Coordinates of all heavy atoms in Angstrom, one line a residue:
M1 N -18.7 19.7 -15.7 CA -17.3 19.9 -15.6 C -16.6 19.2 -16.7 O -17.0 18.0 -17.0 CB -16.8 19.4 -14.2 CG -15.4 19.6 -14.0 SD -14.7 19.0 -12.4 CE -15.8 19.7 -11.2
T2 N -15.7 19.8 -17.4 CA -15.0 19.1 -18.5 C -13.5 19.1 -18.2 O -13.0 19.8 -17.4 CB -15.2 19.9 -19.8 OG1 -14.7 21.2 -19.6 CG2 -16.7 20.0 -20.2
G3 N -12.9 18.1 -18.8 CA -11.5 18.0 -18.6 C -11.0 17.3 -17.4 O -9.8 17.2 -17.1
L4 N -12.0 16.8 -16.5 CA -11.6 16.1 -15.3 C -11.1 14.7 -15.7 O -11.7 14.0 -16.4 CB -12.8 16.0 -14.4 CG -12.5 15.3 -13.1 CD1 -11.5 16.0 -12.2 CD2 -13.8 15.1 -12.3
R5 N -9.9 14.4 -15.2 CA -9.3 13.1 -15.4 C -8.7 12.6 -14.1 O -7.9 13.2 -13.5 CB -8.3 13.3 -16.5 CG -7.5 12.0 -16.8 CD -6.7 12.1 -18.0 NE -5.6 11.1 -18.1 CZ -5.7 9.8 -18.1 NH1 -6.9 9.3 -18.2 NH2 -4.6 9.1 -18.2
L6 N -9.2 11.5 -13.7 CA -8.7 10.8 -12.5 C -7.5 10.0 -12.9 O -7.7 9.0 -13.7 CB -9.7 10.0 -11.8 CG -11.0 10.8 -11.4 CD1 -12.0 9.8 -10.7 CD2 -10.6 11.8 -10.4
D7 N -6.3 10.3 -12.4 CA -5.2 9.5 -12.8 C -4.3 9.1 -11.6 O -3.2 8.8 -11.7 CB -4.3 10.3 -13.8 CG -3.8 11.6 -13.3 OD1 -4.1 11.9 -12.1 OD2 -3.2 12.4 -14.0
Q8 N -5.0 9.0 -10.5 CA -4.3 8.5 -9.2 C -5.3 7.6 -8.5 O -6.5 7.9 -8.4 CB -4.0 9.7 -8.3 CG -3.1 10.7 -9.0 CD -2.9 12.0 -8.2 OE1 -3.3 12.1 -7.1 NE2 -2.1 12.9 -8.7
D9 N -4.7 6.6 -7.9 CA -5.5 5.6 -7.1 C -4.7 5.3 -5.9 O -3.6 4.8 -6.0 CB -5.9 4.4 -7.9 CG -6.9 3.5 -7.2 OD1 -7.0 3.6 -5.9 OD2 -7.6 2.7 -7.8
Y10 N -5.2 5.7 -4.7 CA -4.5 5.5 -3.5 C -5.0 4.4 -2.6 O -4.7 4.3 -1.5 CB -4.5 6.8 -2.7 CG -3.6 7.9 -3.3 CD1 -4.1 8.7 -4.2 CD2 -2.3 8.0 -2.9 CE1 -3.3 9.7 -4.8 CE2 -1.5 8.9 -3.5 CZ -2.0 9.8 -4.4 OH -1.1 10.7 -5.0
Q11 N -5.9 3.5 -3.2 CA -6.5 2.4 -2.4 C -6.5 1.2 -3.3 O -7.6 0.8 -3.8 CB -7.9 2.8 -2.0 CG -8.6 1.8 -1.1 CD -8.0 1.6 0.3 OE1 -7.2 2.4 0.7 NE2 -8.5 0.6 1.0
V12 N -5.4 0.5 -3.6 CA -5.3 -0.7 -4.4 C -4.8 -1.8 -3.6 O -3.7 -1.7 -3.0 CB -4.4 -0.4 -5.6 CG1 -4.3 -1.7 -6.5 CG2 -4.9 0.8 -6.4
H13 N -5.6 -2.9 -3.5 CA -5.2 -4.1 -2.8 C -4.7 -5.1 -3.7 O -5.1 -5.2 -4.9 CB -6.4 -4.7 -2.0 CG -6.9 -3.8 -1.0 ND1 -6.1 -3.1 -0.1 CD2 -8.2 -3.5 -0.6 CE1 -6.9 -2.4 0.7 NE2 -8.1 -2.6 0.5
S14 N -3.8 -6.0 -3.2 CA -3.3 -7.1 -4.0 C -3.5 -8.4 -3.3 O -4.1 -8.4 -2.2 CB -1.8 -6.9 -4.3 OG -1.0 -7.2 -3.1
T15 N -3.0 -9.5 -3.8 CA -3.1 -10.8 -3.1 C -2.4 -10.8 -1.8 O -2.5 -11.8 -1.1 CB -2.6 -11.9 -4.1 OG1 -1.4 -11.6 -4.6 CG2 -3.6 -12.1 -5.2
F16 N -1.6 -9.8 -1.4 CA -1.1 -9.8 -0.1 C -2.3 -9.6 0.9 O -2.1 -10.0 2.1 CB -0.1 -8.6 0.1 CG 1.3 -9.0 -0.3 CD1 1.7 -8.6 -1.6 CD2 2.2 -9.7 0.5 CE1 3.0 -9.0 -2.0 CE2 3.4 -10.1 0.1 CZ 3.8 -9.7 -1.2
S17 N -3.4 -9.0 0.5 CA -4.6 -8.9 1.3 C -5.3 -10.2 1.3 O -5.2 -11.0 0.3 CB -5.5 -7.8 0.9 OG -4.9 -6.5 1.1
D18 N -6.1 -10.5 2.3 CA -6.8 -11.8 2.3 C -8.1 -11.8 1.5 O -8.8 -12.8 1.4 CB -7.0 -12.3 3.8 CG -7.7 -11.2 4.6 OD1 -8.2 -10.2 4.0 OD2 -7.9 -11.4 5.8
D19 N -8.4 -10.6 1.0 CA -9.7 -10.6 0.2 C -9.5 -10.0 -1.2 O -10.5 -9.6 -1.8 CB -10.7 -9.7 1.0 CG -10.2 -8.3 1.3 OD1 -9.1 -8.0 1.0 OD2 -11.0 -7.5 1.8
A20 N -8.3 -9.9 -1.7 CA -8.1 -9.4 -3.0 C -7.7 -10.5 -4.0 O -7.2 -11.5 -3.6 CB -7.0 -8.3 -3.0
K21 N -7.9 -10.3 -5.3 CA -7.7 -11.3 -6.2 C -6.6 -11.0 -7.2 O -6.2 -11.9 -7.9 CB -9.0 -11.6 -7.0 CG -10.1 -12.1 -6.1 CD -11.3 -12.5 -6.8 CE -12.3 -13.0 -5.7 NZ -13.5 -13.4 -5.9
S22 N -6.2 -9.8 -7.4 CA -5.2 -9.5 -8.4 C -3.8 -9.3 -7.7 O -3.7 -8.8 -6.6 CB -5.5 -8.2 -9.1 OG -5.8 -7.1 -8.2
S23 N -2.8 -9.7 -8.5 CA -1.4 -9.7 -8.0 C -0.9 -8.2 -8.1 O -1.5 -7.4 -8.8 CB -0.5 -10.6 -8.8 OG -0.4 -10.1 -10.1
L24 N 0.2 -8.0 -7.5 CA 0.9 -6.7 -7.7 C 1.2 -6.4 -9.2 O 0.9 -5.3 -9.7 CB 2.2 -6.6 -6.9 CG 2.1 -6.6 -5.4 CD1 3.5 -6.8 -4.8 CD2 1.5 -5.4 -4.9
F25 N 1.7 -7.4 -9.8 CA 2.0 -7.3 -11.3 C 0.7 -6.9 -12.1 O 0.7 -6.0 -12.9 CB 2.6 -8.6 -11.8 CG 3.0 -8.5 -13.2 CD1 4.1 -7.9 -13.7 CD2 2.1 -9.1 -14.2 CE1 4.5 -7.8 -15.0 CE2 2.5 -9.0 -15.6 CZ 3.6 -8.4 -16.0
E26 N -0.4 -7.6 -11.8 CA -1.6 -7.4 -12.5 C -2.1 -6.0 -12.2 O -2.7 -5.3 -13.1 CB -2.7 -8.4 -12.1 CG -2.4 -9.8 -12.6 CD -3.3 -10.9 -12.0 OE1 -3.7 -10.8 -10.8 OE2 -3.5 -11.9 -12.7
N27 N -2.0 -5.5 -11.0 CA -2.4 -4.1 -10.6 C -1.6 -3.1 -11.4 O -2.1 -2.1 -11.9 CB -2.2 -3.9 -9.1 CG -3.3 -4.7 -8.3 OD1 -4.3 -5.1 -8.8 ND2 -3.0 -4.8 -7.1
I28 N -0.3 -3.4 -11.5 CA 0.6 -2.4 -12.3 C 0.1 -2.4 -13.8 O 0.0 -1.3 -14.3 CB 2.1 -2.9 -12.3 CG1 2.6 -2.9 -10.8 CG2 2.9 -2.0 -13.2 CD1 2.7 -1.6 -10.2
R29 N -0.1 -3.5 -14.3 CA -0.5 -3.6 -15.8 C -1.8 -2.8 -15.9 O -2.0 -2.1 -16.9 CB -0.6 -5.0 -16.3 CG 0.8 -5.7 -16.4 CD 1.7 -4.9 -17.4 NE 3.1 -5.3 -17.2 CZ 4.1 -4.7 -16.6 NH1 3.8 -3.5 -16.1 NH2 5.3 -5.1 -16.5
A30 N -2.8 -3.1 -15.0 CA -4.1 -2.4 -15.1 C -3.9 -0.9 -15.0 O -4.6 -0.1 -15.7 CB -5.0 -2.9 -14.0
A31 N -3.1 -0.4 -14.1 CA -2.8 1.0 -13.9 C -2.2 1.6 -15.1 O -2.6 2.7 -15.6 CB -1.9 1.2 -12.7
E32 N -1.3 0.9 -15.7 CA -0.7 1.4 -17.0 C -1.7 1.5 -18.1 O -1.8 2.5 -18.8 CB 0.5 0.4 -17.4 CG 1.6 0.6 -16.5 CD 2.7 -0.5 -16.7 OE1 2.4 -1.5 -17.4 OE2 3.8 -0.3 -16.3
S33 N -2.6 0.4 -18.2 CA -3.6 0.5 -19.2 C -4.6 1.6 -19.0 O -5.1 2.2 -20.0 CB -4.4 -0.9 -19.2 OG -3.6 -1.9 -19.6
A34 N -4.9 1.9 -17.7 CA -5.8 3.0 -17.4 C -5.2 4.4 -17.5 O -5.9 5.4 -17.4 CB -6.4 2.8 -16.0
G35 N -3.9 4.4 -17.7 CA -3.2 5.7 -17.8 C -3.0 6.4 -16.4 O -2.8 7.6 -16.4
L36 N -2.9 5.6 -15.4 CA -2.7 6.3 -14.1 C -1.3 6.8 -14.0 O -0.3 6.3 -14.6 CB -2.8 5.3 -12.9 CG -4.2 4.7 -12.7 CD1 -4.2 3.8 -11.4 CD2 -5.3 5.8 -12.6
R37 N -1.1 7.9 -13.2 CA 0.2 8.5 -13.0 C 0.7 8.1 -11.6 O 1.9 8.1 -11.4 CB 0.1 10.0 -13.1 CG -0.1 10.5 -14.5 CD 0.0 12.1 -14.6 NE -0.8 12.7 -13.5 CZ -0.3 13.6 -12.7 NH1 1.0 13.9 -12.7 NH2 -1.0 14.2 -11.8
T38 N -0.2 7.8 -10.7 CA 0.2 7.5 -9.3 C -0.7 6.3 -8.8 O -1.9 6.4 -9.0 CB 0.1 8.6 -8.3 OG1 0.9 9.7 -8.8 CG2 0.6 8.3 -7.0
M39 N -0.1 5.3 -8.2 CA -0.9 4.3 -7.6 C -0.2 3.9 -6.3 O 1.0 3.7 -6.2 CB -0.9 3.0 -8.5 CG -1.7 1.9 -7.9 SD -2.1 0.5 -9.0 CE -0.5 -0.1 -9.3
C40 N -1.1 3.8 -5.2 CA -0.6 3.4 -3.9 C -1.1 2.0 -3.6 O -2.3 1.8 -3.6 CB -1.1 4.4 -2.8 SG -0.3 4.0 -1.2
L41 N -0.2 1.1 -3.5 CA -0.5 -0.3 -3.2 C -0.6 -0.4 -1.7 O 0.4 -0.3 -1.0 CB 0.6 -1.2 -3.8 CG 0.7 -1.1 -5.3 CD1 2.1 -1.5 -5.8 CD2 -0.4 -1.9 -6.0
V42 N -1.8 -0.7 -1.2 CA -2.0 -0.8 0.2 C -2.7 -2.2 0.4 O -3.6 -2.5 -0.2 CB -2.8 0.3 0.8 CG1 -2.1 1.6 0.8 CG2 -4.2 0.5 0.1
D43 N -2.2 -2.9 1.4 CA -2.8 -4.2 1.7 C -3.2 -4.2 3.2 O -2.7 -3.4 4.0 CB -1.9 -5.3 1.3 CG -2.0 -5.6 -0.2 OD1 -3.2 -5.9 -0.7 OD2 -1.0 -5.5 -0.9
H44 N -4.1 -5.1 3.5 CA -4.6 -5.3 4.8 C -3.6 -5.9 5.7 O -3.2 -7.1 5.5 CB -5.9 -6.1 4.8 CG -7.0 -5.5 4.1 ND1 -8.0 -6.3 3.5 CD2 -7.3 -4.3 3.7 CE1 -8.8 -5.5 2.9 NE2 -8.4 -4.3 3.0
A45 N -3.1 -5.2 6.7 CA -2.2 -5.7 7.7 C -2.9 -5.9 9.1 O -3.7 -5.0 9.4 CB -1.0 -4.8 7.8
R46 N -2.5 -6.9 9.7 CA -3.1 -7.2 11.1 C -1.9 -7.4 12.0 O -0.7 -7.4 11.6 CB -4.0 -8.4 11.0 CG -5.2 -8.2 10.2 CD -6.1 -9.5 10.1 NE -7.4 -9.2 9.5 CZ -7.6 -9.0 8.2 NH1 -6.6 -9.1 7.4 NH2 -8.8 -8.8 7.8
A47 N -2.2 -7.6 13.3 CA -1.1 -7.8 14.3 C -0.2 -8.9 13.9 O 0.9 -8.9 14.2 CB -1.7 -8.0 15.6
S48 N -0.8 -10.0 13.3 CA 0.0 -11.2 12.9 C 0.7 -11.1 11.6 O 1.4 -12.0 11.2 CB -1.0 -12.4 12.9 OG -2.0 -12.2 11.9
T49 N 0.5 -10.0 10.9 CA 1.1 -9.8 9.6 C 2.6 -9.8 9.6 O 3.2 -9.1 10.4 CB 0.6 -8.5 8.9 OG1 -0.8 -8.6 8.7 CG2 1.3 -8.3 7.6
A50 N 3.2 -10.7 8.8 CA 4.7 -10.8 8.7 C 5.2 -10.5 7.3 O 6.4 -10.5 7.1 CB 5.1 -12.2 9.2
W51 N 4.3 -10.2 6.4 CA 4.7 -10.1 5.0 C 5.1 -8.7 4.5 O 5.4 -8.5 3.4 CB 3.6 -10.6 4.0 CG 2.2 -10.2 4.3 CD1 1.2 -10.9 4.9 CD2 1.7 -8.9 4.1 NE1 0.1 -10.1 5.0 CE2 0.3 -8.9 4.5 CE3 2.2 -7.7 3.5 CZ2 -0.5 -7.8 4.4 CZ3 1.4 -6.6 3.4 CH2 0.1 -6.6 3.8
V52 N 5.0 -7.7 5.4 CA 5.2 -6.3 5.0 C 6.6 -6.1 4.3 O 6.7 -5.6 3.2 CB 5.0 -5.3 6.1 CG1 5.4 -3.9 5.7 CG2 3.6 -5.3 6.6
P53 N 7.7 -6.6 4.9 CA 9.0 -6.5 4.2 C 9.0 -7.2 2.8 O 9.6 -6.7 1.9 CB 10.0 -7.1 5.1 CG 9.3 -7.0 6.5 CD 7.9 -7.2 6.2
D54 N 8.3 -8.3 2.7 CA 8.2 -9.0 1.4 C 7.5 -8.2 0.4 O 7.8 -8.2 -0.8 CB 7.6 -10.4 1.6 CG 8.4 -11.4 2.4 OD1 9.6 -11.2 2.5 OD2 7.8 -12.3 3.0
M55 N 6.4 -7.6 0.9 CA 5.6 -6.8 -0.1 C 6.4 -5.6 -0.6 O 6.4 -5.3 -1.7 CB 4.3 -6.3 0.6 CG 3.5 -5.4 -0.3 SD 2.2 -4.5 0.6 CE 1.5 -3.6 -0.7
V56 N 7.1 -4.9 0.4 CA 7.9 -3.8 0.0 C 9.0 -4.2 -1.0 O 9.2 -3.6 -2.1 CB 8.6 -3.1 1.2 CG1 9.6 -2.0 0.8 CG2 7.5 -2.5 2.1
D57 N 9.6 -5.4 -0.8 CA 10.6 -5.9 -1.7 C 10.0 -6.2 -3.1 O 10.6 -6.0 -4.1 CB 11.3 -7.2 -1.2 CG 12.2 -6.9 0.0 OD1 12.6 -5.7 0.2 OD2 12.6 -7.9 0.7
A58 N 8.8 -6.8 -3.1 CA 8.1 -7.2 -4.3 C 7.8 -5.9 -5.1 O 8.0 -5.9 -6.3 CB 6.9 -8.0 -4.0
V59 N 7.4 -4.9 -4.4 CA 7.1 -3.6 -5.2 C 8.4 -3.0 -5.7 O 8.4 -2.5 -6.8 CB 6.3 -2.6 -4.3 CG1 6.1 -1.3 -4.9 CG2 4.9 -3.2 -3.9
D60 N 9.4 -3.1 -4.9 CA 10.7 -2.6 -5.4 C 11.2 -3.3 -6.7 O 11.8 -2.7 -7.5 CB 11.8 -2.8 -4.3 CG 11.7 -1.7 -3.2 OD1 11.1 -0.7 -3.5 OD2 12.4 -1.9 -2.2
D61 N 10.8 -4.6 -6.8 CA 11.2 -5.3 -8.0 C 10.4 -5.1 -9.2 O 10.7 -5.4 -10.3 CB 11.1 -6.8 -7.7 CG 12.2 -7.3 -6.7 OD1 13.2 -6.5 -6.5 OD2 12.1 -8.4 -6.1
L62 N 9.2 -4.4 -9.0 CA 8.3 -4.1 -10.2 C 8.9 -3.0 -11.0 O 9.6 -2.1 -10.4 CB 6.9 -3.7 -9.7 CG 6.1 -4.8 -8.9 CD1 4.9 -4.1 -8.3 CD2 5.8 -5.9 -9.9
R63 N 8.7 -3.0 -12.2 CA 9.2 -2.0 -13.1 C 8.1 -1.4 -13.9 O 7.9 -1.8 -15.0 CB 10.3 -2.6 -14.1 CG 11.5 -3.1 -13.4 CD 12.4 -2.0 -12.8 NE 13.5 -2.5 -12.1 CZ 13.6 -2.4 -10.7 NH1 12.6 -1.9 -10.0 NH2 14.6 -2.9 -10.1
P64 N 7.4 -0.4 -13.3 CA 6.3 0.2 -14.1 C 6.8 1.1 -15.2 O 8.0 1.5 -15.1 CB 5.6 1.0 -13.0 CG 6.6 1.3 -12.0 CD 7.6 0.1 -12.0
R65 N 6.0 1.3 -16.1 CA 6.4 2.2 -17.2 C 6.7 3.6 -16.7 O 6.3 4.0 -15.6 CB 5.3 2.3 -18.3 CG 4.1 3.0 -17.7 CD 3.2 3.6 -18.8 NE 1.9 4.1 -18.3 CZ 1.7 5.1 -17.5 NH1 2.7 5.8 -17.0 NH2 0.5 5.4 -17.1
A66 N 7.5 4.3 -17.5 CA 7.9 5.7 -17.1 C 6.6 6.5 -16.9 O 5.7 6.3 -17.8 CB 8.8 6.3 -18.1
G67 N 6.5 7.3 -15.9 CA 5.3 8.1 -15.7 C 4.3 7.6 -14.7 O 3.4 8.2 -14.3
L68 N 4.5 6.3 -14.3 CA 3.6 5.7 -13.3 C 4.5 5.6 -12.0 O 5.4 4.9 -11.9 CB 3.1 4.3 -13.6 CG 2.4 3.6 -12.6 CD1 1.1 4.4 -12.1 CD2 2.0 2.2 -13.1
S69 N 4.1 6.4 -11.0 CA 4.7 6.4 -9.7 C 4.0 5.4 -8.7 O 2.8 5.4 -8.7 CB 4.7 7.8 -9.0 OG 5.4 8.7 -9.8
L70 N 4.8 4.6 -8.1 CA 4.2 3.6 -7.1 C 4.5 4.1 -5.7 O 5.6 4.5 -5.4 CB 4.8 2.2 -7.3 CG 4.6 1.6 -8.7 CD1 5.3 0.2 -8.8 CD2 3.1 1.5 -9.0
L71 N 3.5 4.0 -4.8 CA 3.7 4.2 -3.4 C 3.2 2.9 -2.7 O 2.5 2.1 -3.3 CB 2.8 5.3 -3.0 CG 3.0 6.7 -3.7 CD1 1.9 7.7 -3.3 CD2 4.3 7.2 -3.3
V72 N 3.7 2.7 -1.5 CA 3.4 1.5 -0.8 C 2.9 1.9 0.6 O 3.5 2.8 1.3 CB 4.7 0.6 -0.6 CG1 4.3 -0.7 0.2 CG2 5.2 0.2 -1.9
G73 N 1.8 1.2 1.0 CA 1.3 1.5 2.4 C 0.6 0.2 2.9 O 0.7 -0.8 2.2
V74 N 0.1 0.3 4.0 CA -0.7 -0.8 4.6 C -2.0 -0.2 5.2 O -2.1 1.0 5.6 CB 0.0 -1.6 5.7 CG1 1.1 -2.4 5.1 CG2 0.5 -0.7 6.8
E75 N -3.1 -1.0 5.1 CA -4.3 -0.6 5.8 C -4.4 -1.5 7.0 O -4.6 -2.7 7.0 CB -5.5 -1.0 4.8 CG -6.8 -0.5 5.4 CD -7.9 -0.8 4.4 OE1 -7.7 -0.6 3.1 OE2 -8.9 -1.3 4.8
V76 N -4.1 -0.8 8.2 CA -3.9 -1.5 9.4 C -5.3 -1.9 10.0 O -6.2 -1.1 10.1 CB -3.1 -0.7 10.4 CG1 -3.0 -1.4 11.8 CG2 -1.8 -0.3 9.9
K77 N -5.4 -3.2 10.3 CA -6.7 -3.7 10.8 C -6.7 -3.8 12.3 O -7.7 -3.8 12.9 CB -7.0 -5.1 10.2 CG -7.2 -5.0 8.7 CD -8.5 -4.2 8.5 CE -8.8 -4.2 7.0 NZ -9.9 -3.4 6.7
M78 N -5.6 -3.9 12.9 CA -5.5 -3.9 14.4 C -4.2 -3.3 14.9 O -3.2 -3.6 14.3 CB -5.6 -5.4 14.9 CG -5.8 -5.5 16.3 SD -6.4 -7.1 16.8 CE -4.9 -7.9 17.1
L79 N -4.3 -2.5 15.9 CA -3.2 -1.7 16.3 C -3.3 -1.4 17.8 O -4.4 -1.0 18.2 CB -3.2 -0.4 15.5 CG -2.1 0.6 15.5 CD1 -0.8 -0.1 14.9 CD2 -2.5 1.8 14.6
D80 N -2.3 -1.5 18.5 CA -2.4 -1.0 19.9 C -2.1 0.4 19.9 O -1.7 1.1 18.9 CB -1.5 -1.9 20.8 CG 0.0 -1.6 20.6 OD1 0.4 -0.7 19.9 OD2 0.8 -2.5 21.1
R81 N -2.2 1.0 21.1 CA -2.2 2.5 21.2 C -0.8 3.1 20.8 O -0.7 4.2 20.3 CB -2.5 2.9 22.6 CG -3.9 2.7 22.9 CD -4.3 3.0 24.3 NE -4.1 4.4 24.5 CZ -4.2 5.0 25.7 NH1 -4.4 4.3 26.8 NH2 -4.1 6.3 25.8
R82 N 0.3 2.3 20.9 CA 1.6 2.8 20.6 C 2.1 2.3 19.2 O 3.2 2.5 18.9 CB 2.6 2.4 21.7 CG 2.3 3.1 23.0 CD 3.3 2.6 24.1 NE 3.0 1.2 24.4 CZ 3.9 0.2 24.2 NH1 5.1 0.5 23.9 NH2 3.6 -1.0 24.5
A83 N 1.2 1.6 18.5 CA 1.5 1.0 17.2 C 2.6 0.0 17.3 O 3.3 -0.2 16.3 CB 1.9 2.2 16.2
A84 N 2.9 -0.6 18.5 CA 4.0 -1.5 18.7 C 3.8 -2.7 17.8 O 4.8 -3.2 17.2 CB 4.1 -1.9 20.1
R85 N 2.6 -3.2 17.6 CA 2.4 -4.4 16.8 C 2.7 -4.1 15.4 O 3.3 -5.0 14.7 CB 0.9 -4.9 16.9 CG 0.6 -5.4 18.3 CD -0.8 -5.8 18.4 NE -1.1 -6.3 19.7 CZ -2.2 -6.5 20.2 NH1 -3.3 -6.3 19.5 NH2 -2.4 -6.9 21.4
F86 N 2.4 -3.0 14.9 CA 2.7 -2.6 13.5 C 4.2 -2.6 13.3 O 4.8 -3.1 12.3 CB 2.1 -1.3 13.2 CG 2.3 -0.9 11.7 CD1 1.5 -1.4 10.7 CD2 3.3 0.0 11.4 CE1 1.7 -1.1 9.4 CE2 3.5 0.3 10.0 CZ 2.7 -0.2 9.1
A87 N 4.9 -2.0 14.3 CA 6.4 -1.9 14.2 C 7.0 -3.3 14.1 O 7.9 -3.6 13.4 CB 7.0 -1.1 15.3
R88 N 6.4 -4.3 14.9 CA 7.0 -5.6 14.9 C 6.7 -6.3 13.5 O 7.4 -7.3 13.2 CB 6.3 -6.4 16.0 CG 7.0 -6.2 17.3 CD 6.7 -7.3 18.3 NE 5.3 -7.5 18.5 CZ 4.5 -6.9 19.5 NH1 5.1 -6.1 20.3 NH2 3.3 -7.1 19.6
A89 N 5.8 -5.8 12.7 CA 5.5 -6.4 11.4 C 6.6 -6.1 10.4 O 6.6 -6.6 9.4 CB 4.2 -5.9 10.9
G90 N 7.6 -5.3 10.8 CA 8.7 -5.0 10.0 C 8.8 -3.7 9.4 O 9.7 -3.4 8.6
C91 N 8.0 -2.7 9.7 CA 8.1 -1.4 9.1 C 9.0 -0.5 9.9 O 9.1 -0.6 11.2 CB 6.7 -0.8 9.1 SG 5.6 -1.5 7.9
R92 N 9.7 0.3 9.2 CA 10.6 1.2 9.9 C 9.9 2.5 10.4 O 10.4 3.2 11.2 CB 11.7 1.6 8.9 CG 12.7 0.5 8.8 CD 13.7 0.8 7.7 NE 13.6 -0.2 6.7 CZ 13.6 -0.1 5.4 NH1 13.9 1.1 4.9 NH2 13.5 -1.0 4.6
R93 N 8.7 2.7 9.9 CA 7.9 3.8 10.4 C 6.7 3.3 11.0 O 6.1 2.3 10.6 CB 7.5 4.7 9.2 CG 8.7 5.4 8.5 CD 8.2 6.1 7.3 NE 9.2 7.1 6.9 CZ 8.9 8.1 6.1 NH1 7.7 8.2 5.5 NH2 9.8 9.0 5.8
R94 N 6.2 4.1 12.0 CA 4.9 3.7 12.7 C 3.8 4.6 12.2 O 4.0 5.8 12.0 CB 5.1 3.8 14.2 CG 6.0 2.8 14.8 CD 5.9 2.8 16.3 NE 6.7 4.0 16.7 CZ 6.8 4.3 18.0 NH1 6.1 3.7 18.9 NH2 7.5 5.4 18.4
P95 N 2.6 4.0 12.0 CA 1.5 4.9 11.5 C 1.0 5.7 12.7 O 1.0 5.3 13.8 CB 0.5 3.9 11.0 CG 0.8 2.7 11.9 CD 2.3 2.7 12.2
H96 N 0.5 6.9 12.3 CA -0.3 7.7 13.3 C -1.6 7.0 13.5 O -2.2 6.5 12.5 CB -0.5 9.1 12.7 CG -1.1 10.0 13.7 ND1 -2.5 9.9 13.9 CD2 -0.7 10.9 14.5 CE1 -2.8 10.8 14.9 NE2 -1.7 11.4 15.2
P97 N -2.1 6.8 14.7 CA -3.3 6.0 14.9 C -4.5 6.5 14.1 O -5.4 5.8 13.8 CB -3.6 6.1 16.4 CG -2.2 6.4 17.0 CD -1.5 7.2 15.9
D98 N -4.5 7.8 13.8 CA -5.7 8.3 13.1 C -5.5 8.4 11.6 O -6.3 8.9 10.8 CB -6.0 9.7 13.6 CG -6.4 9.7 15.0 OD1 -7.0 8.6 15.5 OD2 -6.2 10.7 15.7
R99 N -4.4 7.9 11.1 CA -4.1 8.0 9.6 C -3.8 6.7 9.1 O -3.4 5.8 9.7 CB -2.9 8.9 9.4 CG -3.1 10.3 9.9 CD -1.9 11.2 9.6 NE -2.1 12.5 10.1 CZ -1.2 13.3 10.5 NH1 0.1 13.0 10.4 NH2 -1.5 14.5 11.0
R100 N -3.9 6.6 7.8 CA -3.6 5.3 7.1 C -2.1 5.2 6.7 O -1.6 4.2 6.6 CB -4.4 5.2 5.8 CG -5.8 4.9 6.0 CD -6.5 4.7 4.7 NE -7.9 4.4 5.0 CZ -8.8 4.1 4.1 NH1 -8.4 4.1 2.8 NH2 -10.0 3.9 4.3
S101 N -1.5 6.4 6.5 CA -0.1 6.4 6.0 C 0.8 6.5 7.2 O 0.6 7.2 8.1 CB 0.1 7.5 5.1 OG -0.8 7.5 4.0
P102 N 2.0 5.8 7.1 CA 3.0 5.9 8.1 C 3.5 7.4 8.1 O 3.6 8.0 7.1 CB 4.1 5.0 7.6 CG 3.4 4.0 6.7 CD 2.3 4.8 6.1
I103 N 3.9 7.8 9.3 CA 4.6 9.1 9.4 C 5.9 8.9 10.1 O 6.1 7.9 10.8 CB 3.7 10.1 10.2 CG1 3.4 9.6 11.6 CG2 2.4 10.5 9.4 CD1 2.7 10.6 12.5
P104 N 6.9 9.8 9.9 CA 8.2 9.6 10.5 C 8.0 9.6 12.1 O 7.2 10.3 12.6 CB 9.0 10.8 10.1 CG 8.3 11.3 8.8 CD 6.8 10.9 9.0
V105 N 8.8 8.8 12.7 CA 8.8 8.7 14.2 C 10.1 9.1 14.8 O 11.1 9.2 14.1 CB 8.4 7.3 14.7 CG1 7.0 7.0 14.4 CG2 9.3 6.3 14.2
Ligands
ZN201 ZN1 -9.3 -2.3 2.3

């Protein structure tokens, strides 16, 4: 196969996760250097997670180069059946239990 170019990454963790080493800013710069067009910043959220609004604000403050679209999500590590714990973490949308991305409720 020729001409295949991967320019999207939907699974990027930052220091908001407890096991990642690069900051949001470092991830942006790496994505720009790699020529990505889309990057989804997702970090590990648990029932006790309180930083989701701070992460969303931090991503809003980033200024990627033109042509790089940023998406924000969370990788939920613990969730009750109604996603109530996730909602208390500060998100306006609740994730579908079988999906990683929030869906409108
Ligand atoms: Zn992960």
